[in-house]
Amino acid sequence: MGSARSKYPDAATKREVFIPAHSFPGVNQGSWVPGATTEFVDFLFPLPDDMLVGDEVGFKVVWSADTASAADSATWRVLYNKVTNDATSGVTAPATALGTVIVDDTKIATANAVQTTARGKILANVLTGMTAGADFLKLRVNVNSVTSMTLGTDKVDFLGLIVDYVPRFI
């Protein structure tokens, strides 16, 4: 008998889902521009049918800024809550930090360049007991801090979120 691991043992076989910013409720354009670190956007992410829920789930933020200094940086934060379909409890605001947080991302010295952060993740076995294809993750994204930029003055754009997961053998 094999383990509950996927038949795809290497990271190159992870599946990625891109959620563009305009898919987040309240974002009406191609990007979301936070004016303060207290602002956020939420998204209800359905667990894909082929997700191995016992494995880790990764997150990368796709972003940009209208500044042109390599001294600029942003630290993005993704919080989550597990949501069980047809449960008697309601959906609550995401409050659980990733097991490995997204680290500070230094800006490319080109204004409006599209960038992708390093990968943060929900650790393996945290989602065990959830059902792929039925349950959800309530996700919250915000800028936790910036360096050499000012939110509300400098345009820091959230362009989307990349979610990666290991597919299970089906």
Side-chain angles (χ1 to χ4, degrees):
M1 281 261 144
S3 69
R5 299 281 307 171
S6 167
K7 73 172 188 169
Y8 308 104
D10 63 311
T13 59
K14 288 187 179 181
R15 302 242 170 101
E16 289 189 343
V17 177
F18 177 69
I19 307 167
H22 69 266
S23 295
F24 285 70
V27 177
N28 298 318
Q29 301 296 323
S31 69
W32 170 63
V33 181
T37 58
T38 55
E39 296 178 8
F40 56 85
V41 289
D42 288 352
F43 185 79
L44 189 62
F45 178 72
L47 299 183
D49 290 337
D50 66 341
M51 176 186 270
L52 181 61
V53 294
D55 213 301
E56 61 188 39
V57 179
F59 301 90
K60 294 184 267 187
V61 173
V62 181
W63 70 288
S64 183
D66 66 354
T67 60
S69 171
D72 299 344
S73 67
T75 302
W76 292 88
R77 176 172 47 193
V78 175
L79 301 173
Y80 73 96
N81 273 353
K82 298 187 271 185
V83 179
T84 303
N85 192 28
D86 292 330
T88 56
S89 59
V91 178
T92 59
T96 306
L98 299 177
T100 301
V101 299
I102 297 171
V103 297
D104 185 54
D105 196 40
T106 301
K107 175 86 177 72
I108 297 169
T110 302
N112 302 308
V114 175
Q115 300 191 197
T116 303
T117 65
R119 181 178 184 262
K121 65 183 177 183
I122 297 173
L123 302 176
N125 299 317
V126 170
L127 301 182
T128 299
M130 296 190 75
T131 304
D135 293 336
F136 302 85
L137 290 176
K138 177 79 176 200
L139 303 172
R140 174 166 288 175
V141 178
N142 81 308
V143 178
N144 196 38
S145 65
V146 293
T147 302
S148 301
M149 294 185 288
T150 304
L151 293 176
T153 302
D154 296 313
K155 186 179 177 206
V156 178
D157 292 282
F158 168 72
L159 302 174
L161 185 67
I162 297 171
V163 181
D164 72 66
Y165 64 94
V166 173
R168 61 185 165 89
F169 179 71
I170 47 176

